[in-house]
Amino acid sequence: MPGGNGDSRAARAALLERTGDRLELVDDLRVEAPREGEVRVRITHCGVCHSDLHILDGSISFPLPVVPGHEAAGVVDRVGEGVRHLAEGDRVVLTCRPPCGACYWCVRGEEFLCSASTAWATGMLADGTTRLERGGRPVYRGVGVGGFAEYVTTDANGAIAVPSDTPLDIAAVLGCAVQTGVGAVLNAARVQPGDTVLVVGLGGVGICIVQGARIASAAKIFGVDPVAARREQAARFGLSHALDPAAGDVAETVLELTGGIGVDHAFDAVASPATTAQCLAATRAGGSIVLVGVAEEGDVVSIPSRAYVGESKRLIGSFVGSANPHRQFGLYLDLWKEGRLALDDLVTAVRPLDQVNEAFDDLRTATGLRTVLAVSDDAADYARGA
């Protein structure tokens, strides 16, 4: 089936023209039909993530104009030539780093480091185009997806099929919060039964880290957040000890609660120099510190190298949960169906696309855990209870 500008489709979208501006709703975004190895997806739902906020406020540099949104789910609208694993009408979850399956990293099982998958950083597909344009100008895809638009054309490997009865308001959060948080625990740190865990930052990703630690049968799960409501909510997801950073030194408190040892694994879902320092100080000799959040450009963490060599601590980075989404999205849905992974409670609000700016206001004020936007007019037909 041929693709190209002649087969483009008009779409409504939330667009950022200038850093620091509010998002503008437009209805004249043009979305190309898929080329070989691509699919076009009608987006029904897309989560609102801090990575998107970093693009809006300029703490992460990204080309403009851009359609943000990368935690997306929808329905395959059209299939390009050579695509055999997807068909029109399939329900799918998108991933911001689709693995090519053939590069140095993919063939070694490190699909999350795929060298051919760069759209998350550039906003462009591998051929240097975006498949999006408005007024004759290219429009970039936020974090490689552009999910705040009714349609997205993407590499077919970036769309993972889910069962036809999967509610897409729930499935959308697999694309970032769940795979990032749960994956950091199961894949990057490889938490073992009986381990102790510290989670700094109890937003959507942090709560998923807590859930991953619970699924891994951690003995104690400590959580840190300055927002009281989030500390209270976290208990429902498996947190055993909630810590207020304003009440005292976090590392000292964790050391006291672990008999002076420290935790086996500390996860930084905030990724500021201060929170990373907390994690380093609270982790036992031989333990691991996992950086999960997206740091602001220019942030630097200082490490007393001699002390950490002597204590054999491990500093680990984890991008999108160090996971292969084609394998793990299904696993996470199975855990949800079994009642072991709480996705319904993670989505604390669903707003229509025209309330996208209010959704970011919620994020700025730490209101709720995860807000999901209903992007398409018929989004309710693909949500819980439909």
Side-chain angles (χ1 to χ4, degrees):
M1 189 176 292
N5 287 322
D7 300 304
S8 66
R9 181 188 286 275
R12 193 166 66 117
L15 186 72
L16 181 70
E17 288 275 7
R18 288 174 297 275
T19 298
D21 282 359
R22 304 281 277 182
L23 288 164
E24 175 189 2
L25 286 176
V26 301
D27 60 8
D28 57 348
L29 181 74
R30 303 301 303 185
V31 184
E32 283 190 23
R35 303 178 188 181
E36 183 176 358
E38 298 175 350
V39 294
R40 186 166 61 200
V41 176
R42 182 165 60 85
I43 302 297
T44 63
H45 297 86
C46 189
V48 179
C49 176
H50 259 101
S51 296
D52 302 311
L53 181 57
H54 286 323
I55 292 175
L56 267 63
D57 66 19
S59 56
I60 291 179
S61 297
F62 209 85
L64 300 174
V66 61
V67 175
H70 60 283
E71 193 178 69
V75 180
V76 175
D77 169 67
R78 192 167 177 178
V79 176
E81 292 181 3
V83 177
R84 301 286 180 263
H85 67 288
L86 293 171
E88 293 180 9
D90 283 351
R91 296 190 183 196
V92 294
V93 178
L94 303 187
T95 179
C96 66
R97 198 160 194 178
C100 74
C103 71
Y104 178 94
W105 287 271
C106 282
V107 298
R108 285 158 177 77
E110 296 177 333
E111 294 86 356
F112 53 94
L113 296 175
C114 175
S115 61
S117 183
T118 59
W120 64 274
T122 66
M124 297 181 289
L125 295 171
D127 63 1
T129 67
T130 70
R131 306 291 186 271
L132 306 177
E133 65 92 13
R134 180 172 183 254
R137 290 192 303 158
V139 173
Y140 295 90
R141 307 146 55 91
V143 197
V145 177
F148 294 165
E150 290 177 312
Y151 291 89
V152 165
T153 296
T154 186
D155 189 298
N157 283 340
I160 291 90
V162 295
S164 60
D165 60 350
T166 304
L168 295 184
D169 56 335
I170 292 299
V173 297
L174 296 176
C176 182
V178 174
Q179 75 164 335
T180 298
V182 178
V185 174
L186 302 183
N187 304 318
R190 301 181 183 237
V191 172
Q192 299 298 305
D195 283 353
T196 53
V197 167
L198 170 66
V199 183
V200 178
L202 297 173
V205 170
I207 288 296
C208 289
I209 296 172
V210 170
Q211 295 202 73
R214 190 196 69 240
I215 291 167
S217 299
K220 293 180 180 179
I221 307 171
F222 304 95
V224 182
D225 200 287
V227 180
R230 286 187 166 176
R231 295 196 301 272
E232 293 168 4
Q233 289 173 321
R236 302 201 310 268
F237 295 91
L239 194 73
S240 54
H241 297 76
L243 306 178
D244 180 356
D249 184 274
V250 168
E252 288 183 2
T253 302
V254 169
L255 289 170
E256 290 173 4
L257 293 172
T258 56
I261 295 171
V263 293
D264 296 298
H265 309 278
F267 297 84
D268 186 356
V270 178
S272 71
T275 54
T276 302
Q278 286 179 344
C279 291
L280 288 164
T283 303
R284 69 167 175 85
S288 63
I289 300 94
V290 186
L291 304 186
V292 182
V294 178
E296 295 189 11
E297 290 184 16
D299 279 354
V300 175
V301 176
S302 297
I303 299 173
S305 58
R306 179 178 294 182
Y308 286 95
V309 169
E311 295 178 4
S312 297
K313 294 186 182 183
R314 300 182 303 278
L315 186 61
I316 303 170
S318 180
F319 184 69
V320 289
S322 304
N324 179 349
H326 288 272
R327 182 172 66 246
Q328 296 207 278
F329 281 5
L331 166 64
Y332 297 149
L333 283 174
D334 287 343
L335 290 170
W336 169 64
K337 291 175 182 178
E338 295 167 4
R340 298 174 62 195
L341 180 61
L343 300 183
D344 303 74
D345 292 340
L346 180 64
V347 178
T348 49
V350 177
R351 289 181 177 270
L353 181 61
D354 59 11
Q355 293 180 14
V356 61
N357 288 305
E358 289 81 358
F360 277 103
D361 291 339
D362 289 345
L363 191 60
R364 292 183 179 97
T365 58
T367 300
L369 294 175
R370 209 55 158 194
T371 295
V372 170
L373 297 175
V375 178
S376 67
D377 290 337
D378 63 347
D381 296 338
Y382 296 92
R384 287 167 287 180

